[in-house]
Amino acid sequence: MMPALLLIAHGSRDPRHAATVAALVEEVRAQRPGTEVATAYLDHCAPRIPQVVGRLADAVAVPLLLNRAFHAKHDIPAALRAAGSRLPVADVLGPSPLLLAALDRRLAEAGLAVGSPAARARTGVVLAAAGSSDPAADAATRAVAAEWRRTRGWAAVEVAYASAAGPRVPDALAALRTAGAEHTAVAPYLLAPGLLPDRIAAAAEDADADLVADVLGPSPELAALLLHRYDQARHAADTTPALTA
């Protein structure tokens, strides 16, 4: 029997968050039939980690997180320890080419001609992330932006943050226009709807962005990435020598 995939999400008071996680779980199940997939939340939503790990005989915990910041470094390990669990924990989702593909998908759905090199060369994109107090997490987001521009040929890519320190979306849009972008788009680098995506969308509208993409949500690319992280952690656990007394 394959171990279960325990998806650990942050949770939110916004019901759209849990609905998006549920839709993503269904996409994971569709891509990997026969694999047990369970969900647990760190906060706000049920079930919590202690409610789930006790009923899983064998599992791999997969964080639904883009960057290795406080939740990945501290909250999830602490919650698993408190539940008496020693489950292997997969790496966070980013960086990955699959995330760039998911961002492309959302921009295309919003009306951008992503498949046209000429359109990309005229378009500046704001990669709008949550923001973090962890400098390494913000550096990772900036690296994603740089890779996205390098591999797609955007006119420019600027990073903006919805919380923590700036720059904010209007600042990033102004920088794109200064750099000569003819068209502008805002792409939320966020997993599910909620307060921060709403804040990003409102700021983009106020600053006259040409289009705003949806959050990453239950995209096929995100589901495939979760399964990839699960497989990596599962294989690593299989090859780790057992500790002896």
Side-chain angles (χ1 to χ4, degrees):
M1 292 290 292
M2 297 284 284
L5 189 162
L6 174 59
L7 184 65
I8 300 181
H10 181 269
S12 170
R13 294 184 180 89
D14 190 319
R16 295 175 295 170
H17 177 92
T20 299
V21 173
L24 179 58
V25 166
E26 290 307 309
E27 179 64 29
V28 170
R29 288 175 176 150
Q31 291 190 22
R32 189 72 63 86
T35 297
E36 181 183 2
V37 184
T39 305
Y41 293 92
L42 280 172
D43 202 2
H44 302 303
C45 302
R48 301 294 179 86
I49 290 173
Q51 296 172 280
V52 179
V53 295
R55 65 176 177 80
L56 297 175
D58 186 19
V60 172
V62 183
L64 187 60
L65 298 170
L66 292 170
N67 285 331
R68 187 165 176 76
F70 191 83
H71 294 313
K73 293 178 181 178
H74 301 285
D75 288 348
I76 288 177
L80 288 169
R81 285 195 303 270
S85 171
R86 299 181 65 183
L87 295 179
V89 181
D91 200 0
V92 295
L93 299 176
S96 169
L98 285 167
L99 288 174
L100 299 184
L103 288 164
D104 290 344
R105 173 186 292 275
R106 295 307 185 217
L107 283 173
E109 290 170 349
L112 185 61
V114 172
S116 166
R120 295 197 302 270
R122 293 192 298 268
T123 303
V125 184
V126 177
L127 186 69
S132 173
S133 58
D134 187 328
D138 286 343
T141 301
R142 291 193 297 273
V144 168
E147 180 69 4
W148 201 22
R149 182 182 186 185
R150 185 188 70 80
T151 57
R152 303 306 194 264
W154 300 115
V157 178
E158 294 286 340
V159 173
Y161 299 110
S163 63
R168 299 289 192 239
V169 167
D171 305 317
L173 286 168
L176 292 176
R177 291 166 181 141
T178 299
E182 297 177 31
H183 305 288
T184 58
V186 176
Y189 192 51
L190 295 162
L191 294 163
L195 174 64
L196 296 185
D198 289 349
R199 184 181 296 170
I200 287 168
E205 183 178 353
D206 289 345
D208 294 323
D210 292 318
L211 62 84
V212 184
D214 201 355
V215 294
L216 296 172
S219 66
E221 296 84 2
L222 191 56
L225 181 52
L226 287 167
L227 285 165
H228 180 59
R229 295 292 186 241
Y230 161 81
D231 288 337
Q232 287 178 318
R234 178 170 58 85
H235 293 315
D238 288 343
T239 57
T240 300
L243 295 177
T244 57

